[in-house]
Amino acid sequence: MDVKIEESWKVQLQTEFEQPYFYELTRFVRNAYRTGTVYPPAKMIFHAFDSCPFRRVKVVIVGQDPYHQPGQAHGLCFSVNEGVELPPSLQNIYKELQSDLGKSCRTTGNLEEWAKQGVLLLNATLTVEANRAGSHQGKGWERFTDAVIQRLSADREHLVFMLWGAYAQRKGEGIDANRHLVLKSPHPSPLSAHRGFFGNRHFSRANAYLMAHGEQPIVW
């Protein structure tokens, strides 16, 4: 199957694209876009990959599924388009960033600058029906994004994986912690941020690890 995705990822994931489950997933997603309102826009489904080629990945942040309100989702987990009000979880991410690194809070919710520096902003499910959170879970996306994480864990070294919340931590169970830094904390949601997301210092810890292994730090 010829999937429109950045070339280095196409090479890495070609075996997934040829699997029967991916054909079924593709059929489901195409029909969903044809018959209803689905986010992100179809051309942005693989935006996280297109913005961050395989060999340039330094950090992986794992989300669950895209925002399901108009104008929010654009293919990067936790990120929203320019001019869109910051969602609560992203507000808390910025609060922790400010506390950790002493940086003033960003005013834009668009995290493309992170992606261009090597932060793979990976949702477990890459599409969602409007106003129906989790509506495209269990259709095959999770298997695909598990393969992405497995490929990075096995073929790269000294990456940082940020796993926020129980869902992301389950998804990262197969990561080789001897080859990579795996950072875990509660989710930045207002329901859980005060249980340990605030104060996790993941941003400074990630940069310290990258620099210790000869990589440029991320300008968060």
Side-chain angles (χ1 to χ4, degrees):
M1 180 180 294
D2 184 23
V3 176
K4 292 182 173 59
I5 191 171
E6 191 274 333
E7 190 61 32
S8 65
W9 283 109
K10 180 178 285 191
V11 171
Q12 289 293 326
L13 299 170
Q14 190 59 48
T15 54
E16 295 301 310
F17 298 147
E18 301 302 332
Q19 294 293 322
Y21 87 87
F22 197 85
Y23 281 88
E24 290 299 318
L25 171 62
T26 300
R27 188 177 299 117
F28 167 79
V29 169
R30 284 175 176 163
N31 184 64
Y33 275 94
R34 187 169 58 248
T35 59
T37 301
V38 177
Y39 301 121
K43 65 181 181 180
M44 307 294 278
I45 291 174
F46 295 113
H47 188 40
F49 303 91
D50 296 337
S51 302
C52 188
F54 183 81
R55 289 292 164 193
R56 292 190 58 197
V57 176
K58 298 179 181 179
V59 178
V60 182
I61 299 178
V62 178
Q64 194 159 349
D65 62 349
Y67 297 119
H68 54 85
Q69 297 296 326
Q72 292 181 312
H74 65 130
L76 308 178
C77 74
F78 294 106
S79 180
V80 291
N81 281 301
E82 298 285 349
V84 174
E85 183 179 354
L86 301 184
S89 291
L90 185 55
Q91 291 181 37
N92 286 338
I93 290 169
Y94 285 177
K95 288 177 183 176
E96 174 55 25
L97 184 58
Q98 182 177 29
S99 172
D100 186 9
L101 297 178
K103 297 188 67 169
S104 58
C105 279
R106 294 163 54 98
T107 56
T108 174
N110 189 326
L111 302 180
E112 287 179 333
E113 289 182 13
W114 292 5
K116 291 174 183 176
Q117 295 178 74
V119 182
L120 181 66
L121 295 159
L122 179 68
N123 273 318
T125 303
L126 300 188
T127 55
V128 68
E129 186 178 333
N131 305 311
R132 291 190 60 210
S135 52
H136 286 190
Q137 292 178 8
K139 304 298 184 182
W141 279 130
E142 295 92 340
R143 180 172 171 180
F144 173 72
T145 51
D146 281 348
V148 171
I149 293 171
Q150 290 163 8
R151 207 70 100 245
L152 287 165
S153 176
D155 292 358
R156 297 289 312 279
E157 290 187 340
H158 309 313
L159 302 182
V160 180
F161 290 85
M162 295 185 181
L163 307 178
W164 299 335
Y167 183 91
Q169 288 163 28
R170 287 194 300 272
K171 197 161 182 69
E173 286 175 350
I175 296 167
D176 186 348
N178 295 315
R179 293 164 63 99
H180 308 286
L181 177 64
V182 180
L183 299 175
K184 301 178 182 179
S185 82
H187 194 275
S189 161
L191 298 174
S192 56
H194 291 280
R195 297 197 212 112
F197 177 79
F198 291 136
N200 67 20
R201 304 203 67 197
H202 281 187
F203 302 103
S204 61
R205 291 167 67 187
N207 277 353
Y209 181 84
L210 291 173
M211 289 188 289
H213 290 90
E215 293 285 354
Q216 287 292 316
I218 304 299
V219 180
W220 301 104

